Amino acid sequence: MAARPAPVRQARGDRRPPAPSTDVDGGASRGKYVYCIIEAPDRLRFGPIGIGADPSEVYSVHYRNLAAIVSDAPLEVLDSTRENVLAHERVNEAVMRDHTVIPMSFGTIFKTREDIVELLRSAAEAFGDVLNKMQNKLEFGLKVLWDRDQAIREVEAEDEDIRRLKKEISGQKGPTYFARMQYGRLVDAALQSWSERYVADILDLLRDVSVASRINKPIGDKMIMNAAFLISRDQEGAFDAMVKTIAGKLDKLTFKYTGPWPPYNFVNIRLKLERA
């Protein structure tokens, strides 16, 4: 099983108020980039870890006990470059070490601090409900891949009809179009059945150590499972151990295990945002 990559570790946010030069709007060309929403009564600073060629200061904007974690950014559509996406994730990972977060979509920019305060005020009930449900919960990703060619060989060895068709195709001197079509359909159906059984078994084994799971569409022919799991912080060790146990038993499969992440796959708040 591939080793789980360690999240980027940054210095913990302190509780000093943000510096005045960072905390004010820098003119009409500057906006506020929002990374996530948390519950925090006190002002927070996380240092210069934000988006930008020169990482910008990350700090909090508050409405009552809700806080948006933001940095100053150009008031324009932000390119989803690798550097920008990693900076977005880096801030969320730094914040989530001490707080339950509602991650915002990449590229969420508001014109002013007042716009953010209005967002927090108008959606306070929804944010509070989600933060309560996500309290002390983390997301982990699990992708499972197989060697498709090896799987086909095993299917051929196991299924008599597939073996017969393959032998028939290899022995025919004339056209084999219809036999090949039937062979392909049988192989695809068998592979689908096998992959579904693998996924069902894995989900069943992880059910007792996870709060919820979400199955996303696999990418490419080799991936048979692309899932996200919502885990309680106190179950992180048990979940980790179970993934390793499953990977040891299903050693013909490759497990790619990542996290912890903010609960991107389990938060669904739709906001009407004014585009910058």
Side-chain angles (χ1 to χ4, degrees):
M1 183 183 74
R4 191 180 78 200
V8 177
R9 297 300 182 186
Q10 300 290 337
R12 293 177 182 270
D14 60 43
R15 295 186 177 275
R16 293 171 293 173
S21 61
T22 300
D23 201 34
V24 297
D25 293 321
S29 63
R30 302 292 285 177
K32 304 291 185 185
Y33 185 99
V34 183
Y35 300 90
C36 59
I37 308 297
I38 66 172
E39 186 174 11
D42 301 321
R43 296 280 182 103
L44 300 170
R45 288 183 66 193
F46 293 87
I49 61 172
I51 283 177
D54 295 319
S56 52
E57 287 283 335
V58 175
Y59 58 96
S60 58
V61 171
H62 292 257
Y63 172 76
R64 296 182 178 174
N65 283 339
L66 290 174
I69 304 304
V70 311
S71 65
D72 291 352
L75 197 58
E76 60 189 27
V77 176
L78 197 65
D79 291 334
S80 56
T81 62
R82 182 175 185 274
E83 291 76 12
N84 285 340
V85 171
L86 287 177
H88 178 91
E89 293 179 353
R90 178 174 65 236
V91 173
N92 277 317
E93 289 167 17
V95 176
M96 68 179 278
R97 289 201 297 273
D98 292 318
H99 303 275
T100 296
V101 307
I102 298 175
M104 299 293 280
S105 299
F106 174 83
T108 302
I109 302 177
F110 287 79
K111 290 183 178 179
T112 67
R113 163 190 285 274
E114 288 70 28
D115 290 337
I116 296 174
V117 172
E118 176 57 24
L119 166 71
L120 296 176
R121 186 200 65 77
S122 62
E125 184 176 351
F127 284 140
D129 182 57
V130 172
L131 285 167
N132 182 58
K133 291 177 180 176
M134 293 294 114
Q135 188 70 33
N136 292 318
K137 295 180 179 67
L138 307 167
E139 179 175 317
F140 288 85
L142 182 61
K143 294 178 173 63
V144 180
L145 301 91
W146 66 5
D147 183 329
R148 183 179 173 86
D149 291 337
Q150 175 63 29
I152 290 174
R153 288 193 291 271
E154 293 181 11
V155 163
E156 289 173 345
E158 183 180 278
D159 192 296
E160 184 178 346
D161 289 336
I162 292 176
R163 282 200 311 276
R164 177 181 54 77
L165 275 171
K166 185 178 182 181
K167 186 176 181 180
E168 179 181 323
I169 292 167
S170 62
Q172 284 183 1
K173 295 181 180 179
T176 60
Y177 174 78
F178 291 107
R180 289 182 182 276
M181 286 287 291
Q182 187 178 3
Y183 168 83
R185 284 195 296 267
L186 288 176
V187 167
D188 287 344
L191 291 177
Q192 181 69 21
S193 177
W194 276 33
S195 66
E196 288 175 356
R197 288 202 303 270
Y198 275 132
V199 170
D201 289 344
I202 293 168
L203 291 175
D204 186 59
L205 290 168
L206 291 173
R207 186 170 291 112
D208 289 342
V209 289
S210 60
V211 176
S213 62
R214 177 173 176 177
I215 304 300
N216 298 312
K217 185 177 179 180
I219 302 168
D221 290 337
K222 293 184 178 181
M223 187 181 298
I224 63 171
M225 177 174 167
N226 181 14
F229 293 87
L230 189 66
I231 310 299
S232 295
R233 285 184 187 269
D234 60 1
Q235 286 287 296
E236 182 177 347
F239 183 81
D240 187 88
M242 182 57 71
V243 170
K244 291 177 180 176
T245 297
I246 296 169
K249 291 180 178 179
L250 303 178
D251 56 0
K252 292 181 181 179
L253 305 178
T254 300
F255 285 68
K256 294 188 175 181
Y257 175 37
T258 60
W261 309 110
Y264 291 108
N265 281 277
F266 301 93
V267 172
N268 184 23
I269 292 184
R270 297 188 179 275
L271 303 172
K272 294 181 178 178
L273 305 180
E274 181 179 359
R275 299 299 298 175

